[in-house]
Amino acid sequence: KNGVQVPDATYLALWICDAVGGERAEGSSDEAGSPYCYHETLPPLDSLRHLPLFWSDSDLAELEGSMVRSQTLSKRKELASTYDTIIGVCAPFGLQASLETFFWANACVDSRTFHLREEYNETQSTGQDIGLVPMADMLNHRSRSDPASCDWKVEKQPGGGKAFVTRTSPTGLCGGDEAWCSYGLHPNGHYLAHYGFSLEDNRRHDGACPDEAHVTAIVTGSDGQPIYKMFDLSIGNVDDAKGMLSALRVHVGTDEEKQKNLNCSSNTTDATRQPK
């Protein structure tokens, strides 16, 4: 409205706020004529207090210097700004949904949406192919390598249109077993921020650990001004650690130090000198 743009996922959050905001009378129907009850499957706000987005300021203060704290504060600021923008063009929304309700709706979207792709590795050209999928969004997380984990994608139907389809291996589940799906291969920080959990042994099917430590280095630019560089260091990955330390050494080393670390001899030209 009025040329104001908001993130694509925000439209789903607005839809949720509309569903619970009282504009639809109890027992009313959606455009398709079916009972409007999807919002009744969403977790209440109090059950999402384990998400960092809803942690108290005192709890976050205990995490001073961590990425969890900085990312959570940034997310809060971003959502509050979006909320104010929406109210600026639609004042009644402020009466329909409080800021906390808006946070709750965005947390539901953040933890329950699927990328509606036709192929697993399909490149996402826009953010408009995300959606809430009833029932499927209630599946808990397990690695895709687990036999009980469902695979899913959007498939074209013979009569036209598309359908969201989930499948598991024939031997993956027995009657009464819980079905699962993979939330993707992510560091624990991502799982915590989006879903409110972390994995004690967070390893991929090949044994690699995707968890990362975020290191900020301050180096001096050619103009003498400080430059802040962020390095994502995979935990347990020695090659990444060496690469980061090498990059830091190059950035902060003096010309004299760099020269000393060149493996050169009297008959080696500058073009063939190799660092140790």
Side-chain angles (χ1 to χ4, degrees):
K1 184 176 180 180
N2 300 332
V4 174
Q5 298 292 322
V6 295
D8 296 312
T10 301
Y11 290 103
L12 288 175
L14 292 174
W15 178 79
I16 291 176
C17 289
D18 176 59
V20 301
E23 288 194 2
R24 297 174 185 265
E26 184 176 355
S28 63
S29 300
D30 61 13
E31 294 179 358
S34 58
Y36 195 85
C37 59
Y38 173 74
H39 67 278
E40 296 177 359
T41 69
L42 299 176
L45 173 61
D46 285 344
S47 69
L48 295 182
R49 298 292 183 185
H50 60 297
L51 293 174
L53 183 65
F54 300 105
W55 290 356
S56 67
D57 292 338
S58 59
D59 287 338
L60 288 175
E62 297 291 332
L63 301 175
E64 179 68 38
S66 70
M67 289 298 294
V68 171
R69 181 178 185 274
S70 61
Q71 289 177 349
T72 299
L73 294 178
S74 178
K75 182 69 172 180
R76 286 181 179 177
K77 183 177 180 180
E78 175 189 345
L79 290 178
S81 176
T82 301
Y83 181 78
D84 290 340
T85 298
I86 294 171
I87 292 179
V89 296
C90 184
F93 181 72
L95 301 175
Q96 179 182 347
S98 66
L99 178 60
E100 188 173 52
T101 298
F102 186 65
F103 275 24
W104 165 77
N106 276 274
C108 289
V109 171
D110 202 28
S111 63
R112 301 172 83 87
T113 50
F114 288 85
H115 285 285
L116 305 180
R117 61 202 172 200
E118 295 184 22
E119 297 296 336
Y120 186 80
N121 294 318
E122 180 181 344
T123 301
Q124 306 299 319
S125 57
T126 71
Q128 298 178 352
D129 48 4
I130 61 174
L132 294 162
V133 184
M135 301 303 293
D137 63 5
M138 300 179 72
L139 297 176
N140 288 319
H141 168 75
R142 275 195 181 178
S143 169
R144 293 185 69 231
S145 61
D146 192 301
S149 180
C150 297
D151 198 3
W152 55 268
K153 68 176 182 178
V154 175
E155 294 185 355
K156 294 180 180 179
Q157 300 300 291
K162 298 180 179 180
F164 184 92
V165 180
T166 60
R167 292 188 177 91
T168 188
S169 65
T171 59
L173 293 173
C174 297
D177 288 348
E178 179 180 356
W180 310 74
C181 75
S182 172
Y183 294 178
L185 300 174
H186 300 292
N188 265 326
H190 178 93
Y191 290 135
L192 180 61
H194 289 262
Y195 309 110
F197 70 81
S198 61
L199 302 176
E200 183 175 359
D201 186 21
N202 187 23
R203 296 188 179 277
R204 301 196 305 245
H205 60 278
D206 60 359
C209 177
D211 285 332
E212 298 172 332
H214 303 273
V215 181
T216 301
I218 305 176
V219 299
T220 303
S222 57
D223 57 357
Q225 298 299 314
I227 300 175
Y228 296 86
K229 291 185 175 293
M230 176 67 75
F231 294 88
D232 293 336
L233 178 61
S234 296
I235 297 174
N237 189 320
V238 177
D239 290 336
D240 281 353
K242 288 181 178 179
M244 185 201 73
L245 293 174
S246 296
L248 288 176
R249 193 72 192 117
V250 170
H251 280 297
V252 303
T254 64
D255 290 340
E256 182 179 0
E257 288 173 328
K258 293 175 184 177
Q259 186 64 34
K260 287 182 178 180
N261 280 282
L262 289 176
N263 182 19
C264 55
S265 60
S266 58
N267 61 351
T268 303
T269 64
D270 289 341
T272 60
R273 290 175 178 174
Q274 298 294 325
K276 290 184 180 179

